[in-house]
């Protein structure tokens, strides 16, 4: 029964995705067809409907639409330029200073907006024309922008980590948020080091270092934007409010900042922002609900346990098994978006890593890190496609440079996998995990 269920489920899922079905519909169809050999059709439909309802009836999920709304408000609220000015004041003398600015700005804006696509589009739109005027290599500039845009999915607040918290059985959102900081920063730092050497080799000199007064002025100007992270994450860590309440605080703060402080959003624009946020929320929540059916089907038929036994039967060497799992997750990320992949594969792989004594917090960072790389890899890398489009370049030209950055990012991933302290030190320091 287990083999039949797994074959039907994953075969139908792959075929429907290839045919262009929406991911939520593909998950629903494959799950229903997979359980039919074991359960009557009418019972399947009734149970499936119940699972969808129970899957989205979770208080923690309320945080997702509010963080989406806050991110969309910040995207339209003039935040990007403030962060770019501050980052540029820090990187003036470094070779390829504008590209280094891009990396820092992606890390800050990605964390605030919660979207790698938004960060890539916003920062690319601002910095790539500036780089062109300075005579920078446009292909390298686009590559730097694309390769560092997903850092904001690790640096909190992160909707991906909230989804993982739900599907992993209630892992602390606060612990996951703190665990994402060091891996996210290391991703950006690794790309900064590579960019330094590439820019220096190609003669992309930096400008004179900014005066302290300029750095201070741009920092003060960016404080209201950066304060969002401090207020929201600080409030969650200190227990002042829950992640869900923190998401509401983020909306109120970003709304006040954009409408009354920066005066960059009108009521007419706000209506459109609400509409876009509602659409995005509907897609994600429906996806979570449908994925709950797949989780139930796999648990009912014993698929996760069978896959776990199969993988553990390959070797008793945990380092080899972890390497194999990361290869699988990297492959999955190349054709599946972050959210559905988390929903589908967390129940499969989490029981395996628990046998090694790995905490759910560390694994949450590992799975999100792997799938974030998928955002910048073909054939379904949305951030990659947006970055190429913004730069007005050919995909094949950008991919030649991307290979170097893939190597650095994967090296950082392996550090996060095999050095647990990189993702557990901060949560332990804050008393969020033992």
């Amino acid at each position: 029964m287990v083999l039949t269920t797994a074959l039907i489920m994953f075969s139908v899922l792959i075929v429907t995705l290839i045919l262009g079905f929406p991911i939520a519909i593909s998950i629903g169809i494959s799950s229903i067809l997979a359980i039919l050999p074991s359960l009557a059709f009418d019972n399947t439909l009734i149970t499936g409907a119940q699972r969808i309802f129970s899957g989205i009836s979770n208080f923690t999920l309320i945080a997702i639409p509010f963080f989406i709304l806050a991110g969309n408000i910040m995207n339209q609220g003039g935040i990007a330029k403030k962060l770019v000015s501050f980052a540029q004041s820090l990187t003036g003398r470094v070779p390829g200073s504008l590209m280094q600015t891009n990396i820092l700005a992606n890390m800050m804006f990605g964390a605030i907006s919660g979207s790698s696509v938004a960060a890539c589009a916003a920062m690319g739109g601002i910095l790539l024309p500036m780089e062109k005027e300075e005579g920078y290599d446009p292909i390298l500039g686009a590559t730097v922008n694309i390769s560092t845009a997903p850092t904001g999915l690790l640096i909190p607040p992160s909707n991906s980590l909230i989804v993982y918290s739900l599907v992993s059985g209630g892992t602390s959102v606060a612990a996951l948020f703190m665990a994402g900081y060091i891996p996210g920063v290391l991703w950006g730092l690794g790309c900064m080091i590579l960019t330094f050497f590439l820019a220096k080799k190609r003669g992309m000199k930096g400008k004179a270092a900014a005066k302290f007064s300029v750095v201070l002025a741009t920092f003060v100007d960016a404080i209201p934007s950066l304060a969002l992270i401090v207020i929201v994450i600080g409030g969650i860590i200190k227990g002042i409010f829950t992640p869900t309440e923190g998401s509401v605080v983020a909306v109120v703060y970003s709304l006040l900042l954009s409408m009354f402080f920066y005066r960059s959003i009108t009521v007419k624009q706000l209506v459109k922002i609400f509409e876009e946020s509602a659409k995005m929320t509907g897609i994600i929540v429906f996806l979570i609900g449908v994925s709950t059916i797949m989780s139930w089907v796999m648990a009912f038929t014993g698929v996760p346990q069978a896959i776990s036994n199969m993988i553990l039967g390959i070797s008793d060497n945990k380092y080899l098994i972890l390497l194999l799992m990361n290869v699988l997750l990297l492959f999955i990320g190349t054709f599946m978006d972050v959210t559905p992949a988390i929903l589908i594969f967390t129940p499969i792989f989490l029981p395996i890593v628990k046998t090694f004594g790995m905490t759910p917090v560390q694994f949450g960072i590992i799975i999100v890190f792997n799938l974030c790389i998928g955002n910048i890899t073909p054939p379904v890398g949305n951030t990659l496609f947006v970055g190429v489009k913004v730069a007005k370049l050919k995909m094949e030209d950008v991919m030649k440079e991307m290979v170097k950055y893939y190597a650095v990012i994967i090296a950082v991933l392996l550090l996060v996998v095999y050095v647990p302290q990189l993702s557990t030190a901060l949560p332990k320091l804050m008393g969020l995990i033992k």
Side-chain angles (χ1 to χ4, degrees), residues 51-96:
R51 292 290 168 174
I52 290 178
F53 183 78
S54 63
I56 61 177
S57 300
N58 189 297
F59 184 72
T60 304
L61 282 180
I62 300 175
I64 292 178
F66 283 108
F67 274 130
I68 289 172
L69 178 57
N72 285 339
I73 292 171
M74 299 292 261
N75 289 347
Q76 301 292 326
I79 309 302
K81 290 183 179 179
K82 306 292 182 183
L83 297 177
V84 166
S85 297
F86 173 51
Q88 192 172 4
S89 71
L90 297 174
T91 60
R93 187 172 288 179
V94 181

Side-chain angles (χ1 to χ4, degrees), residues 14-82:
I14 292 170
V15 170
T16 50
L17 288 174
I18 292 173
L19 292 175
F21 283 53
I23 181 67
I25 302 300
S26 298
I27 291 173
I29 292 173
S30 60
S31 301
I32 295 297
L33 292 178
I35 197 62
L36 284 179
S38 308
L39 204 63
F41 182 70
D42 55 345
N43 289 336
T44 298
L45 293 183
I46 293 171
T47 307
Q50 291 173 337
R51 292 290 168 174
I52 290 178
F53 183 78
S54 63
I56 61 177
S57 300
N58 189 297
F59 184 72
T60 304
L61 282 180
I62 300 175
I64 292 178
F66 283 108
F67 274 130
I68 289 172
L69 178 57
N72 285 339
I73 292 171
M74 299 292 261
N75 289 347
Q76 301 292 326
I79 309 302
K81 290 183 179 179
K82 306 292 182 183

Side-chain angles (χ1 to χ4, degrees), residues 160-224:
S160 299
L161 292 176
I162 294 174
V163 172
Y164 172 80
S165 169
L166 172 70
V167 75
S168 65
T171 304
S172 168
V173 174
L176 288 167
F177 277 3
M178 292 307 298
Y181 273 111
I182 293 177
V185 170
L186 285 177
W187 180 329
L189 184 61
C191 290
M192 289 184 79
I193 294 171
L194 175 60
T195 301
F196 173 87
F197 287 109
L198 292 177
K200 188 174 182 180
K201 183 178 180 181
R202 300 179 192 185
M204 300 179 195
K205 298 180 180 179
K207 294 183 177 181
K211 295 180 180 179
F212 177 75
S213 59
V214 175
V215 175
L216 183 61
T218 56
F219 173 66
V220 170
D221 203 27
I223 282 177

Side-chain angles (χ1 to χ4, degrees), residues 56 78 84 96 105 128 164 180 185 193 197 199 206 216 224 283 290-291 298-299 334 337 357 397 431:
I56 61 177
V84 166
L128 292 179
Y164 172 80
V185 170
I193 294 171
F197 287 109
L216 183 61
I283 292 170
V290 174
S291 296
M298 289 194 294
T334 62
D337 200 15
D397 293 332

Side-chain angles (χ1 to χ4, degrees), residues 102-103 106-107 143-152 187-188 191 376:
N102 196 335
I103 296 173
N106 270 342
M107 292 166 69
T143 302
V144 169
N145 183 42
I146 293 165
S147 61
T148 56
T151 53
W187 180 329
C191 290
I376 55 174

Side-chain angles (χ1 to χ4, degrees), residues 33 54 70 100 115 124 132 135 141 157 175 184 187 253 263 285 306 395 397 420:
L33 292 178
S54 63
Q100 302 288 5
S115 169
K132 186 177 181 180
W187 180 329
Y253 182 87
R263 299 180 183 275
V285 171
M395 178 68 72
D397 293 332

Side-chain angles (χ1 to χ4, degrees), residues 170-287:
T171 304
S172 168
V173 174
L176 288 167
F177 277 3
M178 292 307 298
Y181 273 111
I182 293 177
V185 170
L186 285 177
W187 180 329
L189 184 61
C191 290
M192 289 184 79
I193 294 171
L194 175 60
T195 301
F196 173 87
F197 287 109
L198 292 177
K200 188 174 182 180
K201 183 178 180 181
R202 300 179 192 185
M204 300 179 195
K205 298 180 180 179
K207 294 183 177 181
K211 295 180 180 179
F212 177 75
S213 59
V214 175
V215 175
L216 183 61
T218 56
F219 173 66
V220 170
D221 203 27
I223 282 177
S225 304
L226 296 173
L228 173 68
I229 300 176
V230 177
I231 292 170
V232 174
I233 304 303
I236 293 172
I237 299 303
K238 291 295 183 180
I240 299 172
F241 40 72
T242 66
T244 303
E245 293 164 345
S247 67
V248 178
V249 172
V251 170
V252 174
Y253 182 87
S254 59
L255 196 58
L256 293 173
L257 185 65
S258 299
M259 292 194 72
F260 300 105
F261 189 81
Y262 291 145
R263 299 180 183 275
S264 54
I265 290 181
T266 63
V267 174
K268 186 177 180 180
Q269 289 174 311
L270 193 60
V271 171
K272 188 176 181 180
I273 289 171
F274 275 106
E275 182 181 342
E276 291 175 352
S277 300
K279 289 179 181 178
M280 195 179 302
T281 298
I283 292 170
I284 293 176
V285 171
F286 179 57
L287 182 58

